Amino acid sequence: MVMTTVVSGRHAEPVTEPVEPEVPERASRRTYSAQYKLRVLAEYERRGRDERGALLRREGLYSSLISEWRKQRDQGALQALAASPGRPPSDSREQELTRLRRENARLQSDLGKARRVIEVQGKLSALLEQLATGGAETGGGEPK
């Protein structure tokens, strides 16, 4: 078996483990955070022409990524990505108002149901009273 070396920083180190010859079934796409993109862009633009290539090699990036990240930055996409995900925090007064409106709607619905139940109970009571007194046969109509 041939010993190979891996470059770590600027010094070569002997490899003690054999390199896995198998290629993964599916390559995974690298993702970069907005902070990382902004940091690399700033460092890339500070450097001279020769130093830029070294930065790209060190980070394992292509110049096309830098171009794409510049476009994103100029369009404001990176600032949008840097914001916290999800809804913006809402005002506590607005939350309380929403809760009270929901509760009010629920109570109005309950009140409507209670009124219908009371109305039916009143009609039932009048009907039972007519039946008990025998007035149902002589009344000939519905109770009011």
Side-chain angles (χ1 to χ4, degrees):
M1 177 178 226
V2 176
M3 270 311 237
T4 60
T5 58
V6 174
V7 176
S8 171
R10 293 184 178 253
H11 304 287
E13 298 175 0
V15 175
T16 57
E17 298 176 3
V19 177
E20 181 64 37
E22 293 294 320
V23 176
E25 282 185 35
R26 184 174 184 155
S28 61
R29 205 174 264 251
R30 291 175 61 185
T31 57
Y32 306 97
S33 70
Q35 292 82 12
Y36 175 79
K37 291 178 183 181
L38 290 172
R39 182 180 58 79
V40 169
L41 273 176
E43 188 175 346
Y44 184 83
E45 291 170 349
R46 276 195 311 265
R47 293 178 175 235
R49 182 175 176 89
D50 297 333
E51 295 172 338
R52 289 178 178 176
L55 171 67
L56 293 176
R57 286 188 296 278
R58 184 188 78 205
E59 297 292 332
L61 301 173
Y62 294 100
S63 60
S64 61
L65 276 176
I66 298 295
S67 300
E68 185 65 31
W69 292 354
R70 278 184 181 148
K71 288 178 190 173
Q72 290 176 353
R73 180 191 60 197
D74 294 343
Q75 293 171 352
L78 293 181
Q79 284 77 17
L81 288 175
S84 61
R87 290 189 207 172
S90 61
D91 185 20
S92 62
R93 291 179 294 174
E94 192 66 35
Q95 288 176 344
E96 180 70 11
L97 184 60
T98 303
R99 184 189 66 79
L100 290 173
R101 284 183 177 154
R102 263 191 250 122
E103 184 179 358
N104 189 9
R106 182 185 56 82
L107 291 174
Q108 290 291 335
S109 173
D110 290 350
L111 180 60
K113 288 177 192 174
R115 285 183 176 157
R116 285 190 298 275
V117 167
I118 291 170
E119 182 183 341
V120 169
Q121 285 178 340
K123 289 181 180 181
L124 181 63
S125 176
L127 180 63
L128 288 175
E129 188 177 319
Q130 282 183 352
L131 286 175
T133 60
E137 291 105 18
T138 59
E142 284 189 8
K144 293 184 180 185

